[in-house]
Amino acid sequence: VGTLVATPHAELEGEPHTRAPVPAPPTGVYPFSGSLRNEVDPSLGVTEGQGVLELDGPGDVRVEVDGVDRGALPVTLVLGAGTHAVRYRGAVRSTYRFYYVRSGATRGVRTFTQAGGLVDAR
């Protein structure tokens, strides 16, 4: 799991949305979050070098993956193998997490909110 970064959520307070740069993943070895299944749903059209990231949680949490808005949870994405930056945006704060997507596998992550509007995932 990457470093937790909580930032105010200006676009939810009526101010114009400005895209913040996507942070780089942390260096070194860090533990994997969520569950990993060595399979993918064939209906998703996953090709060589791709895997699936399943993000589940409260519907009032929005998600950006690698700087692209992917909508509200739950979200299932086919992504290239490698590390991806996920920004969870709650009502008040946003949080970045980094997930490694393995080719031919599905990583499932459960998202939840905490007191004070902090969003976290495991």
Side-chain angles (χ1 to χ4, degrees), residues 37 39-47 50 52 54 76-78 106:
R37 298 187 315 270
E39 59 186 20
V40 293
D41 180 343
S43 70
L44 295 174
V46 177
T47 62
Q50 294 180 322
V52 175
E54 292 178 342
T76 298
L77 302 166
V78 175
T106 300

Side-chain angles (χ1 to χ4, degrees), residues 27-82:
T27 58
V29 177
Y30 50 96
F32 293 114
S33 292
S35 63
L36 183 66
R37 298 187 315 270
N38 289 319
E39 59 186 20
V40 293
D41 180 343
S43 70
L44 295 174
V46 177
T47 62
E48 180 89 21
Q50 294 180 322
V52 175
L53 182 60
E54 292 178 342
L55 305 173
D56 192 17
D60 61 342
V61 174
R62 293 190 61 83
V63 177
E64 290 177 12
V65 178
D66 299 329
V68 177
D69 183 19
R70 299 301 188 138
L73 292 176
V75 176
T76 298
L77 302 166
V78 175
L79 300 169

Side-chain angles (χ1 to χ4, degrees), residues 7 15 18 25 36 49 74-77 93 98 104 121-122:
T7 56
E15 297 178 23
T18 56
L36 183 66
V75 176
T76 298
L77 302 166
R93 300 198 175 271
F98 300 89
R122 299 214 166 98

Side-chain angles (χ1 to χ4, degrees), residues 9 12-13 17 21 26 45 53 59-60 63 66 70 74-75 79 85 94-95 97 108 110 113 115:
H9 215 345
L12 294 180
E13 298 168 1
H17 174 70
L53 182 60
D60 61 342
V63 177
D66 299 329
R70 299 301 188 138
V75 176
L79 300 169
S94 64
T95 302
R97 290 290 193 209
R110 176 77 181 144
T113 55

Side-chain angles (χ1 to χ4, degrees), residues 16 23-24 41 50 81 85 89 100-101 103 112:
D41 180 343
Q50 294 180 322
R89 295 184 303 149
Y100 183 80
V101 173
S103 180
F112 55 94

